[in-house]
Amino acid sequence: MWKLSNFINYFFTGVGFGAATYLLILTFAFPGEPATPLGVISVFIISGLIGILSMIFAADVSPAIAFSVHIIGTFLLVLLMYWINKWSVTFWWILGEFLLVYIVIWLIVILSQVHTVNKINSKIKKRNSKR
């Protein structure tokens, strides 16, 4: 059973990734374009929902199903964000940007997990060597 704290953690992790991505895209893809209140609020809410959607990877479903649900759900939420903000770019721009950002965020998550596992393994080795 999911705890409220899990939802909150996943939500705010999503907000963090979304906010950083939004700022990077504004800075490098649309320099000089100001952030709007609607843009910021929609990025926070939709990024948080994408974070909650990521809980599917902790569910008891096959990795292929989890990945399929996550990528499709994330893309639909991103399309919703573009529609809410009336950001006028082509579908191909959205798709290309989405795929690039999706891959980069996955790489960051994987590298973070590898780092965490390495730290845990190092502590286990230290503890076992003291015996």
Side-chain angles (χ1 to χ4, degrees):
M1 182 162 174
W2 298 106
K3 296 179 185 174
L4 180 60
S5 63
N6 286 347
F7 280 95
I8 292 170
N9 287 336
Y10 276 86
F11 183 87
F12 282 109
T13 298
V15 170
F17 277 112
T21 301
Y22 180 58
L23 290 173
L24 288 170
I25 289 171
L26 277 181
T27 301
F28 296 109
F30 301 102
E33 186 76 26
T36 64
L38 179 61
V40 171
I41 291 167
S42 68
V43 165
F44 280 8
I45 292 170
I46 291 182
S47 296
L49 293 175
I50 292 169
I52 290 172
L53 183 60
S54 299
M55 293 175 80
I56 187 125
F57 293 107
D60 191 22
V61 296
S62 74
I65 290 173
F67 180 75
S68 298
V69 168
H70 187 264
I71 196 166
I72 291 168
T74 300
F75 187 65
L76 291 173
L77 286 167
V78 167
L79 287 176
L80 176 64
M81 183 172 52
Y82 272 85
W83 180 76
I84 288 170
N85 288 286
K86 297 177 179 63
W87 290 333
S88 57
V89 291
T90 67
F91 173 79
W92 298 109
W93 169 268
I94 297 170
L95 182 62
E97 182 182 61
F98 171 78
L99 290 174
L100 176 66
V101 168
Y102 197 84
I103 290 167
V104 168
I105 289 174
W106 264 106
L107 288 173
I108 292 168
V109 168
I110 290 168
L111 290 173
S112 174
Q113 289 179 347
V114 166
H115 178 71
T116 300
V117 167
N118 287 340
K119 282 176 48 178
I120 291 169
N121 286 340
S122 175
K123 288 182 180 183
I124 290 171
K125 284 179 186 177
K126 281 183 184 178
R127 185 184 68 196
N128 288 341
S129 68
K130 290 180 181 179
R131 289 182 182 185

